[in-house]
Amino acid sequence: MNDTSKSVTPTNFIRQIIESEIADGCHTDGIVTRFPPEPNGHLHIGHAKSMCLNFGLAEDFAGRCFLRFDDTNPDKESPEYVESIKTDVRWLGFNWEDRLTHASDYFPQLYDWAVELIENGKAFICSLSAEEIRASRGTLTEPGSESPFRIRPVAESLELFEKMRAGDFPDGSHVLRAKIDMTAPNIHMRDPTIYRIRHSTHHNTGNRWCIYPMYGFTHPLSDAIEGVTHSLCTLEFEDQRPFYNWVLDNVTISKRPRQIEFSRMSLNYSIMSKRLLTMLVDENRVSGWDDPRLPTLSGLRRRGYTPRAIRNFCTRIGVTKNEQQIEASVLENCVREDLDKNAPRAFAVMDPLKIVIENYPQGQVEQLEAHNHPNDPNMGSRQISFCREIYIDRQDFMEEAPKKFFRLAPGREVRLRYAYFITCTSVIHDSEGQISELRCSYDPESRGGQSPDGRKVKGTLHWVSVQHALDAEVRQYDRLFQDANPLADRSKDFLELINPDSKAVITSSKVEPGLINAGAGKSFQFERVGYFCVDPESTPSHLVFNRTVELRDSWGKKIVHEKT
C-alpha cells in the first residue's frame, strides 16, 4: 500500500454494525467487501469514498475486498475504462491481490440461476416492447398491470430463453422478467426485467453471449458467489434492497450477503454524474477524462492531488445516511496540508518584471544555498544562481504604493529570499507607458537576507536569475462551474454554468533551472505563489506546470466579497 500514515479511524454506523456482528460471533473467517465500478467511464472522487470504505473496512477487520467490474452493459464498456480503473485503485493505495473479478465471469452461473427461477415459476419471458413494459409499470400512486405473457407456460419460457441465448431473436424482441407483484408499492418489485438481448461484443466475453443480465439481478448473486458479507451501496439502491433480497431468497445459494446503504457525496462547483461527465468530455468542454478541472481521479492526479490527501478527505467527510454536499474547500485544504508538509520548495515567477542591480558586479554569478523545505531539514538544500539581472513577479512592485504595501516600490528596501536586500532606485517605462524594467541597488553586506546593522525589512520576495531561469508554461485551474450546485436549477442547462475562467494559461513564466528534469506528477510549492505539479506533457525543452491549489482559499474570500 502507498505511504499513507494512519491515525485513529473515526467510527461510523457501518463500522458499528460490523463490530456488533463480530462481538456476536459472526464473520470468524473475516468480513468480505467489494468495490464494484462499472467500466463505462473514469472513476471520480465519489468513487474514492466508496473505495476507501470497502477496502478500508476489509483491511481494518482482517477481511478481504474484491475489485469487481460490474460489466453487464457491453454497449458502454471498454478495456480503456477497465485499465483506467485499475490504475486509479492502485494509485489510491489499494491492492486487490488475487481478487480481481468481473460480473461477466459469472455469466454461466447467472444463466443457470435464471433458468432456476423460470423452472420454479418465478420468472417468465415477456414479449412486450420496452415502451409497453414501461407503460404497464404504473406510477408511485397507481399499481402496474400484468403482462399478458405472465401466464406463459414454464416450458415455453424455458425454450424461448434458450433460443434467446442462442441468438435466434433480435434486440428488444423478448426479455426475461421476474414474477413478483405488479401491485407492489415498491416499483422495483413490479416484475422487473432481469435479462435482455444485446447483440454486442463484450470487452471480456467477446461474442460468447448475446443476452445480458440486468444489474439488479447480477449484483446480489455476484455478492453471493464471492462470499461478500457486507454489500455497501449508496442510498439510491435502498429502494432496490427488497429485490436484492428477493433474488437471494429464490435461488439456491450457499452464502447470503447483506446490503447496507450510505449517502452519496456531492462536491460543490462540480458534478459526479458519469453521464454528464461523459458529455463534458465528448463535447470537448474539457480536454479529456484527465482534465485537471474534473473531479475524476485521473484529473485530480494530473492536477497534483495526492492519494494521501484524497484518503484523508474521505476520512474527514465520514460515512452517514445524510446527504453530503461537501464544500470544495474541504478537499483543497486536505491537499494543502499534505503538500505543505511534503512538497519541496522552488522559485517561479508568473509575470516577470526585470530588475537590474546596478551596483552588482557585471558578469559575476554567485551560488546561494536555499532550503528545499523550511521545516524539514531531511529534504536538504539546493544551490540557486544569483547575478546582476533578476526577475521578480510584477505584482510585487507598485510605482505608487500605499503605506501598507510592504513589497517593492521606489525608494523602498526589500529582502530577496536567500540573497540580499535591494532598494528600487528608478523605474523604466516602455513607449506605451508600461513598466518594463526596474533599477535597484543592493547591500553586499546583507548576503543571506540579514543585515549586520540589524535593520528590519518587512517584505521578502522570490526571484529567479535572468541568465539562468527557464521558460515555463503554467496552467492555472479554478472551479469548473460558477454555481456551487450546477444541477440545482433544472430550468438551467448546466453547461451554461461552466466557469469561463476555470483555466488560464501563462506562457511567459520563469522558473529556477533545477526544475528542468522534474518528472511528470512531481509536486512543488512555488514559494509565495501556490502548489504546482509537473504536467505529463512537460518536456525539458517545454516545461509545463499545473496549479494544484493556491496557498490560501482565495475563492472563499471572493464569494464572501461578492455577497457583501
Side-chain angles (χ1 to χ4, degrees):
M1 182 168 294
N2 290 354
D3 178 24
T4 49
S5 56
K6 294 183 65 174
S7 57
V8 176
T9 303
T11 191
N12 56 61
F13 75 98
I14 297 176
R15 284 182 173 274
Q16 291 168 353
I17 289 172
I18 295 173
E19 289 167 352
S20 176
E21 291 172 345
I22 292 175
D24 290 340
C26 302
H27 316 307
T28 54
D29 294 330
I31 69 166
V32 181
T33 60
R34 84 287 177 273
F35 175 61
E38 182 179 359
N40 64 348
H42 285 237
L43 300 183
H44 54 62
I45 188 70
H47 294 107
K49 174 183 173 180
S50 177
M51 207 188 306
C52 289
L53 178 62
N54 282 284
F55 279 98
L57 288 171
E59 179 181 359
D60 291 346
F61 289 98
R64 303 179 302 283
C65 182
F66 284 82
L67 171 59
R68 181 205 308 153
F69 289 100
D70 168 34
D71 54 353
T72 59
N73 188 353
D75 296 332
K76 295 184 178 181
E77 298 158 358
S78 76
E80 171 201 346
Y81 296 137
V82 169
E83 291 307 312
S84 75
I85 290 169
K86 289 160 64 176
T87 296
D88 287 343
V89 174
R90 288 194 195 99
W91 175 71
L92 207 53
F94 297 111
N95 185 358
W96 58 82
E97 298 176 350
D98 60 347
R99 295 180 293 276
L100 188 148
T101 60
H102 305 75
S104 55
D105 297 339
Y106 309 136
F107 280 177
Q109 177 64 72
L110 295 174
Y111 179 85
D112 290 345
W113 273 322
V115 169
E116 181 181 352
L117 288 176
I118 298 172
E119 289 175 339
N120 292 335
K122 299 293 186 178
F124 65 98
I125 298 297
C126 181
S127 303
L128 294 177
S129 67
E131 292 76 14
E132 290 171 327
I133 291 175
R134 193 175 300 112
S136 68
R137 290 184 71 194
T139 66
L140 294 175
T141 58
E142 297 178 352
S145 55
E146 293 185 353
S147 166
F149 301 100
R150 201 173 193 269
I151 58 173
R152 181 169 257 159
V154 167
E156 185 179 341
S157 283
L158 286 170
E159 181 181 0
L160 288 171
F161 193 46
E162 185 176 345
K163 289 182 176 180
M164 285 168 60
R165 179 181 181 180
D168 291 353
F169 303 117
D171 290 3
S173 54
H174 304 287
V175 296
L176 178 65
R177 296 176 67 180
K179 187 185 293 186
I180 307 178
D181 183 1
M182 289 302 293
T183 66
N186 186 334
I187 206 165
H188 295 288
M189 299 295 283
R190 296 179 186 175
D191 293 5
T193 297
I194 57 178
Y195 263 91
R196 78 285 200 202
I197 302 171
R198 285 286 186 277
H199 289 275
S200 300
T201 301
H202 190 278
H203 77 94
N204 188 42
T205 61
N207 294 310
R208 293 198 295 275
W209 294 86
C210 60
I211 58 172
Y212 292 94
M214 302 296 287
Y215 177 78
F217 179 70
T218 307
H219 170 205
L221 295 176
S222 297
D223 287 346
I225 290 171
E226 293 170 357
V228 169
T229 56
H230 301 85
S231 182
L232 309 179
C233 307
T234 46
L235 275 175
E236 65 266 30
F237 291 98
E238 186 172 33
D239 289 343
Q240 298 183 37
R241 192 183 344 134
F243 181 59
Y244 181 99
N245 290 329
W246 182 92
V247 171
L248 297 174
D249 288 340
N250 286 280
V251 298
T252 304
I253 56 174
S254 58
K255 295 183 178 180
R256 186 183 181 91
R258 175 184 179 183
Q259 178 175 306
I260 303 173
E261 304 85 17
F262 61 95
S263 64
R264 297 184 67 170
M265 181 199 73
S266 296
L267 191 66
N268 280 358
Y269 300 99
S270 190
I271 56 173
M272 297 293 173
S273 163
K274 266 193 188 178
R275 179 180 63 84
L276 299 182
L277 289 171
T278 301
M279 185 184 302
L280 289 173
V281 173
D282 290 347
E283 294 186 8
N284 297 315
R285 306 282 182 154
V286 293
S287 61
W289 283 100
D290 66 346
D291 188 297
R293 294 167 292 179
L294 291 179
T296 56
L297 295 183
S298 55
L300 293 171
R301 179 166 59 247
R302 185 171 184 177
R303 187 162 174 170
Y305 280 68
T306 64
R308 199 165 32 232
I310 292 173
R311 290 179 63 164
N312 186 32
F313 167 74
C314 292
T315 298
R316 286 190 184 182
I317 64 174
V319 178
T320 73
K321 281 184 173 287
N322 301 320
E323 180 182 353
Q324 285 189 308
Q325 187 73 32
I326 307 298
E327 293 282 348
S329 59
V330 177
L331 175 59
E332 291 167 350
N333 285 336
C334 287
V335 76
R336 272 194 198 94
E337 290 176 12
D338 183 56
L339 294 178
D340 178 58
K341 181 179 180 181
N342 296 291
R345 275 44 173 174
F347 284 169
V349 174
M350 300 294 105
D351 186 7
L353 176 60
K354 183 178 177 181
I355 288 179
V356 177
I357 305 172
E358 294 183 298
N359 63 331
Y360 192 88
Q362 293 214 28
Q364 178 172 307
V365 177
E366 289 185 80
Q367 296 301 314
L368 305 175
E369 184 178 20
H371 300 299
N372 289 331
H373 196 293
N375 301 315
D376 188 354
N378 293 326
M379 286 196 182
S381 61
R382 67 194 188 281
Q383 297 293 308
I384 52 176
S385 299
F386 183 82
C387 59
R388 189 170 189 263
E389 296 181 349
I390 63 171
Y391 291 120
I392 65 167
D393 228 309
R394 188 171 295 273
Q395 69 176 5
D396 283 334
F397 177 79
M398 287 185 69
E399 192 165 15
E400 297 180 6
K403 185 176 181 180
K404 292 189 176 181
F405 183 78
F406 298 123
R407 287 167 275 177
L408 193 60
R412 293 193 184 178
E413 188 174 49
V414 298
R415 176 188 295 106
L416 296 177
R417 179 91 155 131
Y418 299 119
Y420 295 97
F421 290 0
I422 62 170
T423 302
C424 180
T425 56
S426 62
V427 181
I428 298 174
H429 301 82
D430 60 20
S431 58
E432 298 179 353
Q434 300 298 314
I435 298 172
S436 60
E437 188 176 298
L438 304 178
R439 297 299 171 94
C440 294
S441 63
Y442 88 115
D443 177 359
E445 300 299 320
S446 62
R447 192 176 195 269
Q450 300 296 327
S451 174
D453 62 12
R455 71 183 184 275
K456 303 294 184 182
V457 294
K458 292 187 176 180
T460 300
L461 309 185
H462 63 287
W463 54 275
V464 292
S465 161
V466 170
Q467 180 180 338
H468 303 90
L470 303 176
D471 294 330
E473 176 182 316
V474 174
R475 300 169 182 174
Q476 295 185 333
Y477 295 101
D478 213 326
R479 311 287 168 85
L480 182 57
F481 292 96
Q482 295 173 304
D483 196 295
N485 188 350
L487 303 179
D489 189 345
R490 300 287 181 176
S491 66
K492 292 182 180 179
D493 182 353
F494 81 103
L495 296 175
E496 296 176 359
L497 299 175
I498 291 177
N499 177 13
D501 300 320
S502 60
K503 179 181 179 180
V505 179
I506 303 172
T507 58
S508 57
S509 298
K510 305 288 185 179
V511 300
E512 63 176 78
L515 299 179
I516 189 169
N517 292 315
K522 178 67 175 177
S523 293
F524 297 91
Q525 185 198 97
F526 289 168
E527 293 201 31
R528 302 181 61 244
V529 181
Y531 296 99
F532 294 77
C533 78
V534 182
D535 188 81
E537 295 178 353
S538 183
T539 65
S541 60
H542 182 73
L543 297 174
V544 181
F545 295 90
N546 298 325
R547 184 174 70 187
T548 305
V549 68
E550 295 178 274
L551 292 178
R552 297 174 184 82
D553 181 14
S554 61
W555 182 278
K557 293 180 180 178
K558 173 184 172 184
I559 296 301
V560 170
H561 178 72
E562 289 177 351
K563 289 180 178 179
T564 56

